[in-house]
Amino acid sequence: MYSNTTHQHKGIFRNIDWVMVVLWLILVTVGWLSVFSTGNQETFSNIFDLNQRYGKQLLWIVLAMVVALIILILDPKIVPPLSYMIYALLNLSLVAVLIFGTEVNASKSWFQVGGFALQPAEFAKVATVLAMARYMSAIDFDLTKRKTLLTVTGIVALPFGLIMLQPDLGSAIVLFAPILMLYRFGLWPWYLYGALTLALLFILDLMFSTYVVVGLIIISVALLILILKAKKREAWLMVSLGLATIVLVFAFDFFFHEGLKPHQKERIEVYIANLQGEDRDIRNIGYNFYQSKVAIGSGGWTGKGYLQGTQTKMNFIPEQDTDFIFCTVGEEFGFIGSMFIVSVFLLLLYRIIQRAEIQRSRFSQIYGYGVASLLFFHFVVNVGMTIGLTPVIGIPLPYMSYGGSSLWAFTILLFIFIKQDMHRYEVVG
Amino acid sequence: MNVKRDRYFGRQYFFLVLFIVVWVALGMRLLSIQVLNDQYKRSSMVISIREEIEIPARGVIRDRHGVELVVNYPVYDLMVVAREVKPFDTLLLCRILDLDHLYVREYLQRQMRDPYLRVNRGVIARQLPIDQIGKFTEFQFRFPGFYVQERTMRRYPIGVAAHTLGYIGEVNQGVLDRDSYYVAGDYIGISGIERSYEGVLRGEKGLRKRLKDKFGRDQGPYLGGEEDIQARAGLDLYTTLDAGLQAYGEQLMEHKIGSVVALEPSTGEILALVTSPTYDPNLLSGRERAKNYHTLLNDTYRPLMNRALQAQYPPGSTFKMVNALISMQMNALRAETRYSCGGAFHMGRLTVRCHGHPGPTNLAQSIQFSCNTYYCYNFRDMLDRSNYPNTKAAFEVWRAHALSFGLGKRFNNDLPFGLAGNIPTSEFYDRYHGSGRWRALSIISLAIGQGEILTTPVQLANIAAVIANKGHYFNPHIVKSIGHPDSLNTAVRERFETTIDPHHFEPIIIGMRDVVLAGTARNAYIPGITVCGKTGTAQNPHGDNHSLFIAYAPMENPQIAIAVIVENAGYGSTWASPIASLMIEKYLTGEVKREALENRILNSKLIKR
Ligand SMILES: [Zn+2]
């Protein structure tokens, strides 16, 4: 009897990478503790109280574990062939939510069934990564071909467009996270560097002025030509590249001033001011920025102690247990606690990359990088937002933010990889 | 390990570098805001924003000379912020403030349940006596979370004009749903001037948002006071009332049912608005309000009703002047027109009785002796024998003239709850008698102000004002100035023209003068003052007739127009005319010299109280 149980146990968890599981469990646990802390302890009766958000979150966590177990039980070989179908189904659900969804805060992102609400966009992230991994695992896959590049872009563009229609900018933007994965598998690196350079130039344009940026471009081009002692043809190429960049900067400037709605523009301006160290418009648009910085900043070295946070309880911070859950960690556990969570996330990411590199299956390898890219993007943007480094984009902190949809989606995302990893010696697709 | 190495294998190290860069960047930023910078720590000392609402003093209401009619006095409410309450000696608190400890416990539990109520002040006990508050303040340190809030209540120093001034009370749900200015527990004007000038009297509430640390200590204004709203005190009102005259009128009307309305003809300002029986307005302010209100509500003499605006009477003979003026305007009557009176008007089977007087009378004499016959004949001439195609057409013209006296409609003034009275329509008689089947005789009671005509006391006073002004009147109103005694409340000071030419008023005025000099109201005579008046008797199917009198004085330079109604008191000359004349004397000379008359009125009890 005893040995039998042990055998079964071993069966489910054989070859499992406990490091990823434990890191996942740490994040989920600290997440729930933080949700509990932002909740109302004065009416506390028990942690399963489904009228309270911590009670609901506990239910979501239990269900997420059930889902994780199911994934561990299922045959990993069925995943790659099913990828396109899952992708198709999720896109259909994104269409359906536009028609049958419930409108919350002027965006149709939710399926409401009784007391439960599902956000298909969260699951669409998983589906998109699956589809990309499936497509990219083909033997003749070559990202330097234009057609391949266009197809990959198309796989992202479809759900992106559908999510933008809701509209939910945050959930849509994260679909571009897999550019990191593409980079690993052969994307011409200048796409990445070019995008980063342009982003930097745009930020500089907003922080200082268009003329500074134009001057910077001209000087860079001139220096490059001089230092590299460029030949005539190369020089012309660099000059035209510089000119194109200048045109792009002007186009961006024009778009920013004429193309954006006032509130979008102000939001970006507040973010830029914040980067320059100014707490601007803390009453309206800058409110979240400021209040979350106050909450985290008041934590000090070791924090105020669990449940002793004040900022995250008084409704100073909107979405304090969803998008701004990191504030609670920062306030109650201080610098030490914050760095612990940051480290756990980065360790998890590193572990995923590490495991992805040893996969035999091309699909698992690519998929692993997809998981890491999505988690990385969410983590950096979300934490960056709470400490004023990135703009306020409404995306959750994986495994920690309150909400069933995102918890399940990220759990499914990770456990599909864990399961693939368990079977890395078996030759799959 | 047999790992496939692809062309881009080396790029995995980019990720390692990326993760390290992110770890360092986030670490530096966190170190900077959490450890190195203490600005955010200071900001976080603040744990709550408490909204402190400042209720400005309600405007004081004065009479036309600045005498205070309604003032404020402080009362003390006990407030509690449930979240700040620490375990305390409930029994001690209840003993000091005379509260029920079960109530206190339940109240605190209720506040705790609601996340908003929990952190905001709630009123746990209202209008506590000053000695209890004194004792509480002594022990306040033992009751964290409890506060005393001063609030003002209304007091009426001379206790007159209860109905006109009105009262305030807590807002009801209807108002709360309709107007976001008010929150539960706020006070609002419910009747009278308190109601019609609510917006002016209340001022604007102030709002201060204060930051509090976790010990409840003040940490300065929220956002530097940017969102604070400065309270604006309510404006004082200067009413048109003459407090002395009002008080005197209420005195004269004691133990009688009825009302007195006195106007200044040249402005429409209401000098006195007496309704009787009345009550002490202080009864409807303070802790006993609900109980007192209930007592007043159940009183059979209905002291809460403002008879001056809401009681409707047939004007009786006081309407004869209106009929005469309309008739002259319709070319059916001249000053010299005479009708003979044999003591009654006979027409077919119809008889309207008159009383013994010299005759035949001209127009002025018909008023002097109040000849019913004269008006019946003339009413027939006006409606049936005029240039108009038929009785109905003539009646419509008559009605339009009557309406121009401000009759048959509510004055659009600054007093709430007035009634319109009634000038019957031809449609009404068409329905009653059949279309085209009625003539002047069918509606002959209108000739002597009986029948379907109904007027309120303020409308009767306005008829006197119209005659005093020879053809126009000013909207009767109650508030003279808002904020400053020299300003003028022009919004309600509208001038209205009647449809009667001024020269038609001469014989009427002569007649009214002679009413007092040698007619039906000689007891209204005041030495040295020419009073123009007219008695009336309003038929009352439910009991004794009502005694009516309207007048103005002095004839040469009218300063007061007045209407007096004493219910169930018989002829106009018995009670109404002496009361009117005492009022006029008091107003014009400042004192009353006719002590015997005054004493007779003051000592008469027409009702048992
Ligand atoms: Zn007669």
Side-chain angles (χ1 to χ4, degrees):
Chain A
M1 198 84 151
Y2 178 73
S3 64
N4 190 21
T5 330
T6 322
H7 182 75
Q8 273 187 358
H9 188 83
K10 232 178 171 176
I12 298 179
F13 295 112
R14 191 184 324 164
N15 289 329
I16 196 165
D17 180 42
W18 285 109
V19 176
M20 285 191 281
V21 175
V22 167
L23 293 172
W24 168 81
L25 205 58
I26 291 173
L27 292 176
V28 168
T29 309
V30 176
W32 183 83
L33 288 173
S34 304
V35 169
F36 180 80
S37 178
T38 59
N40 176 9
Q41 286 108 43
E42 271 139 358
T43 54
F44 177 76
S45 55
N46 67 76
I47 57 171
F48 300 105
D49 183 354
L50 286 182
N51 292 319
Q52 301 290 342
R53 286 164 75 98
Y54 52 75
K56 283 189 195 152
Q57 182 71 358
L58 200 56
L59 180 64
W60 307 149
I61 290 172
V62 170
L63 291 174
M65 287 174 170
V66 172
V67 170
L69 276 177
I70 291 172
I71 291 171
L72 293 183
I73 290 165
L74 288 177
D75 183 356
K77 287 196 272 299
I78 62 165
V79 175
L82 278 177
S83 295
Y84 287 148
M85 210 175 84
I86 295 171
Y87 176 75
L89 280 175
L90 259 299
N91 277 296
L92 272 180
S93 77
L94 288 176
V95 174
V97 81
L98 291 174
I99 304 165
F100 307 110
T102 312
E103 191 163 322
V104 179
N105 294 333
S107 89
K108 273 192 153 184
S109 319
W110 300 85
F111 283 122
Q112 185 90 36
V113 184
F116 292 83
L118 274 181
Q119 206 178 0
E122 296 292 340
F123 299 97
K125 298 168 187 172
V126 183
T128 306
V129 171
L130 277 173
M132 288 174 88
R134 173 70 175 164
Y135 178 71
M136 291 164 67
S137 57
I139 296 174
D140 59 344
F141 176 76
D142 184 359
L143 262 177
T144 54
K145 287 183 195 153
R146 187 179 299 155
K147 196 187 151 207
T148 312
L149 197 58
L150 280 177
T151 311
V152 168
T153 314
I155 292 174
V156 173
L158 177 62
F160 176 83
L162 289 171
I163 295 172
M164 282 304 277
L165 286 176
Q166 294 179 357
D168 182 354
L169 180 67
S171 299
I173 276 183
V174 297
L175 290 175
F176 283 107
I179 192 175
L180 289 172
M181 166 177 84
L182 293 179
Y183 168 74
R184 166 63 184 83
F185 296 104
L187 185 72
W188 188 47
W190 281 99
Y191 282 121
L192 193 62
Y193 306 153
L196 288 174
T197 311
L198 274 182
L200 191 69
L201 288 176
F202 291 162
I203 289 176
L204 288 176
D205 174 48
L206 294 174
M207 280 174 87
F208 304 103
S209 88
T210 315
Y211 300 105
V212 171
V213 175
V214 169
L216 210 65
I217 293 168
I218 291 170
I219 292 168
S220 313
V221 170
L223 279 178
L224 274 174
I225 292 172
L226 285 177
I227 291 168
L228 297 176
K229 293 187 179 133
K231 297 192 181 104
K232 212 171 189 182
R233 219 177 126 244
E234 287 162 353
W236 274 117
L237 192 75
M238 280 185 229
V239 168
S240 29
L241 203 68
L243 281 176
T245 315
I246 290 172
V247 169
L248 274 176
V249 168
F250 272 106
F252 167 78
D253 207 64
F254 179 79
F255 169 77
F256 178 77
H257 289 290
E258 309 296 331
L260 288 181
K261 297 202 173 83
H263 73 271
Q264 295 170 324
K265 208 176 116 189
E266 281 165 26
R267 196 169 270 222
I268 294 171
E269 280 170 348
V270 166
Y271 166 63
I272 296 295
N274 166 80
L275 280 183
Q276 291 168 310
E278 179 196 344
D279 290 319
R280 190 191 287 181
D281 198 12
I282 61 173
R283 241 193 81 192
N284 296 313
I285 298 162
Y287 183 82
N288 291 357
F289 258 136
Y290 181 71
Q291 291 298 345
S292 67
K293 272 195 284 180
V294 167
I296 294 176
S298 66
W301 278 112
T302 55
K304 298 172 183 168
Y306 184 52
L307 298 183
Q308 302 305 307
T310 51
Q311 303 302 296
T312 43
K313 287 193 183 46
M314 290 301 298
N315 298 316
F316 277 103
I317 301 168
E319 292 125 19
Q320 49 185 314
D321 63 358
T322 55
D323 298 350
F324 283 87
I325 192 75
F326 190 71
C327 293
T328 309
V329 176
E331 189 187 13
E332 299 192 344
F333 301 113
F335 176 70
I336 306 288
S338 307
M339 280 316 282
F340 173 72
I341 291 299
V342 167
S343 306
V344 169
F345 261 109
L346 289 170
L347 275 177
L348 176 63
L349 288 166
Y350 178 64
R351 185 70 181 176
I352 293 169
I353 298 292
Q354 209 184 19
R355 302 302 288 189
E357 286 296 342
I358 61 168
Q359 299 300 311
R360 282 180 179 178
S361 143
R362 189 79 174 147
F363 175 85
S364 307
Q365 193 184 20
I366 297 170
Y367 179 74
Y369 267 92
V371 173
S373 305
L374 264 189
L375 287 176
F376 177 77
F377 190 87
H378 277 88
F379 161 70
V380 169
V381 171
N382 181 287
V383 172
M385 161 181 92
T386 61
I387 54 180
L389 281 179
T390 50
V392 176
I393 298 173
I395 57 173
L397 186 58
Y399 309 120
M400 293 184 65
S401 286
Y402 170 84
S405 295
S406 85
L407 177 63
W408 296 336
F410 284 116
T411 301
I412 291 168
L413 183 77
L414 180 63
F415 274 82
I416 287 178
F417 179 66
I418 290 177
K419 181 64 178 173
Q420 297 287 320
D421 175 60
M422 283 160 71
H423 297 261
R424 63 186 174 275
Y425 297 115
E426 301 160 24
V427 178
V428 221
Chain B
M1 284 228 183
N2 181 15
V3 175
K4 276 186 274 173
R5 296 202 167 206
D6 56 275
R7 281 174 61 197
Y8 307 106
F9 179 78
R11 288 193 183 177
Q12 64 173 289
Y13 301 108
F14 167 80
F15 288 85
L16 189 58
V17 174
L18 182 66
F19 295 164
I20 292 171
V21 166
V22 165
W23 190 82
V24 171
L26 292 181
M28 276 168 55
R29 177 70 173 182
L30 283 166
L31 193 70
S32 149
I33 64 172
Q34 292 190 293
V35 183
L36 304 179
N37 188 335
D38 66 346
Q39 174 209 341
Y40 299 117
K41 256 170 268 7
R42 263 182 284 116
S43 307
S44 86
M45 285 305 286
V46 168
I47 64 158
S48 63
I49 304 164
R50 185 180 298 149
E51 298 191 346
E52 294 177 355
I53 291 169
E54 190 188 344
I55 298 172
R58 205 173 165 85
V60 165
I61 305 179
R62 295 187 168 82
D63 89 337
R64 62 193 293 112
H65 304 299
V67 177
E68 287 174 343
L69 299 175
V70 189
V71 296
N72 299 311
Y73 73 100
V75 295
Y76 302 91
D77 292 342
L78 185 68
M79 318 286 288
V80 65
V81 181
R83 194 191 156 92
E84 294 173 8
V85 172
K86 302 261 151 44
F88 65 100
D89 188 344
T90 321
L91 286 180
L92 177 67
L93 182 81
C94 291
R95 205 172 58 235
I96 294 175
L97 298 175
D98 195 17
L99 296 172
D100 177 37
H101 72 275
L102 271 177
Y103 163 77
V104 171
R105 211 160 56 201
E106 268 169 30
Y107 184 87
L108 287 174
Q109 279 166 0
R110 203 169 60 227
Q111 295 285 107
M112 275 311 276
R113 273 197 291 274
D114 185 303
Y116 176 78
L117 295 179
R118 184 161 54 226
V119 295
N120 281 285
R121 290 181 169 208
V123 186
I124 188 165
R126 289 187 185 285
Q127 296 179 39
L128 295 166
I130 187 81
D131 55 316
Q132 289 183 2
I133 288 299
K135 207 178 248 163
F136 172 81
T137 334
E138 223 173 285
F139 288 101
Q140 189 164 7
F141 68 96
R142 298 176 65 169
F143 306 113
F146 288 87
Y147 306 89
V148 174
Q149 174 152 310
E150 186 181 312
R151 202 158 53 74
T152 56
M153 286 299 295
R154 296 299 243 182
R155 195 165 61 80
Y156 306 81
I158 48 179
V160 297
H163 299 81
T164 309
L165 300 172
Y167 57 92
I168 60 173
E170 272 186 55
V171 284
N172 58 28
Q173 197 54 48
V175 175
L176 290 174
D177 294 342
R178 198 166 56 236
D179 188 341
S180 61
Y181 177 83
Y182 299 97
V183 297
D186 278 356
Y187 280 72
I188 188 174
I190 290 177
S191 73
I193 293 173
E194 296 275 27
R195 180 192 174 95
S196 49
Y197 284 90
E198 165 69 13
V200 174
L201 287 168
R202 74 176 186 204
E204 287 296 327
K205 277 191 277 194
L207 178 68
R208 279 191 308 257
K209 291 187 175 176
R210 306 295 297 187
L211 297 168
K212 303 281 169 176
D213 69 8
K214 61 177 162 183
F215 306 106
R217 294 177 306 209
D218 196 286
Q219 295 288 319
Y222 174 62
L223 297 177
E226 196 185 312
E227 291 188 351
D228 291 4
I229 300 164
Q230 196 68 40
R232 201 164 48 69
L235 296 177
D236 290 358
L237 291 184
Y238 294 81
T239 64
T240 59
L241 290 177
D242 180 305
L245 189 66
Q246 174 76 28
Y248 187 58
E250 290 184 16
Q251 233 181 324
L252 293 174
M253 289 300 288
E254 236 177 298
H255 311 298
K256 303 162 191 73
I257 301 173
S259 47
V260 177
V261 179
L263 296 169
E264 187 174 71
S266 58
T267 58
E269 289 170 7
I270 296 172
L271 301 169
L273 198 71
V274 177
T275 173
S276 184
T278 183
Y279 59 92
D280 181 350
N282 289 302
L283 290 177
L284 293 187
S285 177
R287 262 185 140 176
E288 306 279 291
R289 197 182 89 82
K291 201 186 96 194
N292 292 335
Y293 183 80
H294 202 68
T295 314
L296 291 170
L297 196 63
N298 290 331
D299 191 320
T300 46
Y301 290 113
R302 302 176 64 196
L304 287 176
M305 177 184 179
N306 189 348
R307 290 177 163 78
L309 305 175
Q310 292 169 308
Q312 304 182 109
Y313 309 92
S317 301
T318 59
F319 197 70
K320 285 174 179 163
M321 285 87 78
V322 178
N323 266 336
L325 287 163
I326 296 173
S327 192
M328 282 189 276
Q329 192 68 32
M330 288 170 74
N331 290 322
L333 181 67
R334 287 178 297 124
E336 306 78 38
T337 310
R338 285 174 189 269
Y339 295 101
S340 54
C341 171
F345 169 78
H346 298 286
M347 193 62 65
R349 284 189 293 174
L350 185 78
T351 298
V352 177
R353 296 165 66 78
C354 193
H355 45 85
H357 61 82
T361 60
N362 65 9
L363 175 53
Q365 289 164 331
S366 76
I367 290 171
Q368 181 185 353
F369 301 119
S370 196
C371 178
N372 288 343
T373 314
Y374 190 95
Y375 286 92
C376 290
Y377 277 122
N378 184 250
F379 196 67
R380 187 195 59 182
D381 291 353
M382 172 166 57
L383 296 188
D384 291 354
R385 299 181 177 178
S386 62
N387 306 325
Y388 298 94
N390 53 43
T391 305
K392 183 173 173 174
F395 178 83
E396 290 293 356
V397 175
W398 173 86
R399 182 167 190 275
H401 285 304
L403 292 180
S404 79
F405 283 75
L407 303 173
K409 62 174 190 285
R410 205 180 90 80
F411 289 117
N412 184 23
N413 63 6
D414 48 0
L415 283 163
F417 300 140
L419 288 187
N422 184 42
I423 300 294
T425 60
S426 55
E427 289 79 26
F428 172 80
Y429 293 117
D430 279 348
R431 272 200 308 276
Y432 190 80
H433 298 286
S435 185
R437 298 188 55 188
W438 52 278
R439 309 270 288 167
L441 282 187
S442 328
I443 56 173
I444 198 70
S445 44
L446 300 187
I448 54 168
Q450 309 289 0
E452 291 79 17
I453 304 182
L454 291 174
T455 51
T456 61
V458 68
Q459 285 174 333
L460 288 174
N462 196 52
I463 292 176
V466 166
I467 297 167
N469 290 335
K470 300 198 177 95
H472 67 264
Y473 69 93
F474 289 86
N475 203 10
H477 60 278
I478 196 70
V479 171
K480 191 177 163 77
S481 319
I482 297 172
H484 192 274
D486 296 336
S487 70
L488 212 52
N489 186 14
T490 46
V492 290
R493 219 181 172 80
E494 208 181 335
R495 178 176 160 146
F496 292 93
E497 305 296 332
T498 64
T499 49
I500 311 298
D501 295 339
H503 65 270
H504 291 315
F505 285 85
E506 294 302 336
I508 304 297
I509 291 170
I510 301 295
M512 286 176 74
R513 177 197 66 190
D514 294 342
V515 165
V516 177
L517 287 179
T520 52
R522 271 161 287 184
N523 56 3
Y525 174 76
I526 308 168
I529 297 170
T530 319
V531 177
C532 298
K534 180 73 193 79
T535 55
T537 307
Q539 282 175 354
N540 176 15
H542 309 293
D544 290 341
N545 289 342
H546 305 315
S547 171
L548 263 62
F549 190 71
I550 70 171
Y552 71 89
M555 182 179 91
E556 306 77 19
N557 171 30
Q559 288 172 42
I560 178 170
I562 192 167
V564 178
I565 292 94
V566 185
E567 289 188 13
N568 316 116
Y571 292 116
S573 54
T574 10
W575 296 103
S577 60
I579 290 173
S581 84
L582 289 169
M583 291 287 285
I584 291 170
E585 185 182 6
K586 170 84 175 172
Y587 183 68
L588 293 181
T589 69
E591 55 176 345
V592 171
K593 294 213 178 85
R594 297 171 293 162
E595 276 173 26
L597 181 67
E598 186 180 39
N599 284 331
R600 176 171 84 84
I601 300 292
L602 289 178
N603 296 330
S604 341
K605 293 193 174 187
L606 299 188
I607 53 176
K608 296 186 202 78
R609 62 161 74 200

